[in-house]
Amino acid sequence: MRLDNLGLDPDFWRGKKVFLTGHTGFKGTWISLWLHAMGASVTGYSLRPATQPSIYEICRMNEIVSSYIHDIRDYNSLADALLKTEPDIVIHMAAQPLVRESYAEPAATFEINMMGTVHLLEAVRQAVQNGSSISAVVNVTSDKCYDNQEWTWGYREIDPLGGSDPYSGSKAGSEIITNSYRRAFFNPLDSGALKVPIATARAGNVIGGGDWSKDRLVPDSIRAIRNKKPIVIRYPEAIRPWQHVLEPLYGYLLLAQKMTDSGAALSRGWNFGPDYENAVSVQRLVNLLCKEWGDGASFIADPITDHPHEAHYLSLDSSLARQTLGWKPQWNLDVTLSRTIEWYKAYLQKQDMREFSLRQINAYMGGGQTG
């Protein structure tokens, strides 16, 4: 892994012990690969992969990541794993991540996303009180934590939290819980507080190779294409700010690195959203995907219109991350979509997907819109 121009310092990450919840998921696998490539030692805590196929298994992650396969709702197992790992940095990604699933399982969604946060932060608190030298904690939430008014401008970190569905509400709750722990137990203004910077990170509508979740646009599209069927889209006119999965992961890693250096000054919420040019309708994205894929790929609008409510438009203002952290998106929509399709085609061609994914990370670290 070559040195990059993104502000990430491989020398910083080399040898660092990272405790990562949700490591068997889509984003968890990608960030584990990135950390491993920079020389970090990753210990993951998660359930088994939720999908078949699974990017975690496709990339043979069990060969390079130490795993605790447990539920985030099991506090004793989580606290024990964290204490045994003795991490330098903690990144919390374990979640019930699907809006539509939250309508079917609202109680489980709140329990996983909110009490899971409580368990993680309480485990950190207990570990630090017992002498652990954790230098940064990043809790990954969602852009949907905001009280969405369907504004045409991006939400800032100071805008009100909310949620019109169980998933969104649970992520707003995770933000509030994190702030409460930060102020009650890790307050830099309290001389008796624990000296661990804790931040939240908000992103959404990520796409990229290896996502196989149900009720997500790109995975649903790939499944339809593989089955020689038209892609069925539920909300053709809904506008989403699409970004490659590596974009927010770069933000999370940069934030954790800088928190270790700057401490409490960065202990707050952070947005990591794409450029406004990446905000296009579902129909436009699928049309671009079909053209890029070729081979007769096509789409139709879903004739069934009685679907659970989803936001028509929600975007993030990432000015704070740009100005304070030096973070900015690297790939425009064309490159994002091209990299995503390249991954799935490579998988169908039975290439070594760990090596292919690492090459995409290396290309991203090289910077520039052309990758």
Side-chain angles (χ1 to χ4, degrees):
M1 182 62 63
R2 69 190 182 201
L3 292 176
D4 68 288
N5 61 3
L6 303 182
L8 288 178
D9 181 3
D11 288 336
F12 168 86
W13 289 100
R14 190 172 297 114
K16 283 286 190 298
K17 291 185 289 185
V18 180
F19 187 81
L20 171 67
T21 71
H23 69 294
T24 62
F26 168 51
K27 291 171 75 174
T29 297
W30 275 104
I31 201 170
S32 295
L33 279 170
W34 201 335
L35 284 164
H36 176 75
M38 292 191 294
S41 173
V42 180
T43 298
Y45 184 100
S46 179
L47 295 175
R48 297 188 185 281
T51 65
Q52 286 295 330
S54 143
I55 184 175
Y56 183 84
E57 293 173 340
I58 290 168
C59 291
R60 311 183 313 282
M61 297 302 293
N62 61 310
E63 297 175 1
I64 60 176
V65 173
S66 299
S67 286
Y68 288 89
I69 302 299
H70 292 292
D71 197 313
I72 195 71
R73 291 171 289 185
D74 184 345
Y75 171 74
N76 290 330
S77 293
L78 176 64
D80 184 62
L82 185 74
L83 201 60
K84 288 179 178 177
T85 302
E86 298 182 337
D88 301 298
I89 291 170
V90 175
I91 302 175
H92 178 44
M93 285 186 173
Q96 190 298 94
L98 302 171
V99 172
R100 286 170 67 86
E101 180 69 17
S102 78
Y103 281 102
E105 298 289 345
T109 299
F110 282 113
E111 186 179 7
I112 294 166
N113 294 351
M114 293 176 66
M115 286 308 299
T117 300
V118 172
H119 289 167
L120 186 281
L121 294 176
E122 182 61 18
V124 168
R125 185 173 79 92
Q126 295 292 340
V128 173
Q129 286 183 335
N130 282 293
S132 176
S133 57
I134 297 170
S135 61
V137 178
V138 177
N139 174 23
V140 176
T141 62
S142 169
D143 60 347
K144 295 175 180 62
C145 70
Y146 290 105
D147 183 15
N148 187 11
Q149 303 295 315
E150 303 282 355
W151 291 333
T152 56
W153 54 86
Y155 287 86
R156 302 165 299 169
E157 289 85 351
I158 59 174
D159 286 325
L161 304 177
S164 57
D165 58 79
Y167 171 78
S168 302
S170 72
K171 287 301 188 178
S174 179
E175 288 277 351
I176 293 169
I177 289 164
T178 304
N179 190 50
S180 295
Y181 260 82
R182 184 165 47 220
R183 296 176 68 176
F185 305 113
F186 302 92
N187 190 339
L189 300 180
D190 182 353
S191 60
L194 302 172
K195 306 304 181 186
V196 181
I198 297 177
T200 56
R202 305 156 185 176
N205 294 107
V206 297
I207 62 175
D211 188 1
W212 299 102
S213 299
K214 64 179 182 179
D215 296 325
R216 279 188 180 156
L217 185 60
V218 170
D220 286 349
S221 298
I222 300 303
R223 278 187 284 269
I225 290 171
R226 291 181 70 188
N227 293 325
K228 303 297 183 181
K229 295 181 178 179
I231 301 163
V232 179
I233 54 178
R234 294 187 301 270
Y235 302 99
E237 303 306 319
I239 297 172
R240 300 285 185 264
W242 311 97
Q243 63 186 149
H244 194 275
V245 63
L246 295 179
E247 303 277 29
L249 298 186
Y250 160 39
Y252 309 159
L253 293 172
L254 185 63
L255 175 59
Q257 176 182 309
K258 289 184 176 289
M259 285 169 67
T260 299
D261 297 332
S262 301
L266 304 181
S267 294
R268 54 163 304 145
W270 297 87
N271 289 341
F272 298 101
D275 290 328
Y276 290 119
E277 292 80 3
N278 278 32
V280 300
S281 70
V282 168
Q283 179 170 314
R284 175 164 170 71
L285 185 82
V286 174
N287 186 48
L288 291 171
L289 186 153
C290 289
K291 288 181 178 179
E292 179 84 14
W293 189 281
D295 196 28
S298 64
F299 68 93
I300 60 172
D302 192 344
I304 301 172
T305 58
D306 185 21
H307 295 292
H309 170 76
E310 292 187 29
H312 175 74
Y313 184 73
L314 190 157
S315 68
L316 296 177
D317 183 330
S318 303
S319 299
L320 182 67
R322 288 170 179 263
Q323 295 171 6
T324 306
L325 303 178
W327 174 89
K328 65 177 181 178
Q330 300 298 304
W331 286 351
N332 63 23
L333 185 60
D334 289 340
V335 176
T336 293
L337 199 54
S338 179
R339 291 287 186 258
T340 300
I341 290 172
E342 285 172 4
W343 195 99
Y344 285 107
K345 286 190 172 183
Y347 167 72
L348 295 176
Q349 294 163 2
K350 302 187 183 305
Q351 295 190 33
D352 183 327
M353 295 315 297
R354 187 203 292 171
E355 291 304 313
F356 189 91
S357 301
L358 287 169
R359 287 200 299 272
Q360 288 202 331
I361 292 171
N362 199 39
Y364 183 88
M365 292 180 77
Q369 289 290 351
T370 61

